Amino acid sequence: MNELISGFVGKDCIVYISASSGTSINGVITSLNENWITVKASGIEEVINLDYVIRVKEYPVDKNGKRKKIVF
């Protein structure tokens, strides 16, 4: 998992976490250490254990480089 996540470091991503509520975090993955990633979203840094990460997806952008709206 660490090798796969290392390709997303420095990119704006959506990190899906296994929780009963289907939680996701939107932000830039700033670092990867052992089994943990640090995600910076809205000026707040969050540390996430990779054991609970289900999916990581780069945030889609349009041709102008702006974020696209995502409908869940």
Side-chain angles (χ1 to χ4, degrees):
M1 184 68 132
N2 290 353
E3 294 173 13
L4 298 172
I5 297 292
S6 65
F8 290 103
V9 173
K11 295 182 180 178
D12 194 15
C13 297
I14 305 169
V15 180
Y16 297 91
I17 302 169
S18 64
S20 60
S21 63
T23 305
S24 67
I25 297 173
N26 300 337
V28 177
I29 298 176
T30 56
S31 66
L32 168 66
N33 296 318
E34 295 179 12
N35 201 35
W36 299 86
I37 58 172
T38 304
V39 178
K40 187 170 186 175
S42 301
I44 300 170
E45 287 191 342
E46 297 189 43
V47 179
I48 303 167
N49 187 333
L50 288 178
D51 290 337
Y52 298 103
V53 173
I54 299 172
R55 178 178 169 194
V56 177
K57 176 181 173 183
E58 191 171 353
Y59 208 98
V61 293
D62 62 12
K63 63 182 178 182
N64 296 327
K66 294 182 181 179
R67 282 180 155 196
K68 287 185 180 181
K69 288 188 178 182
I70 297 178
V71 178
F72 291 100

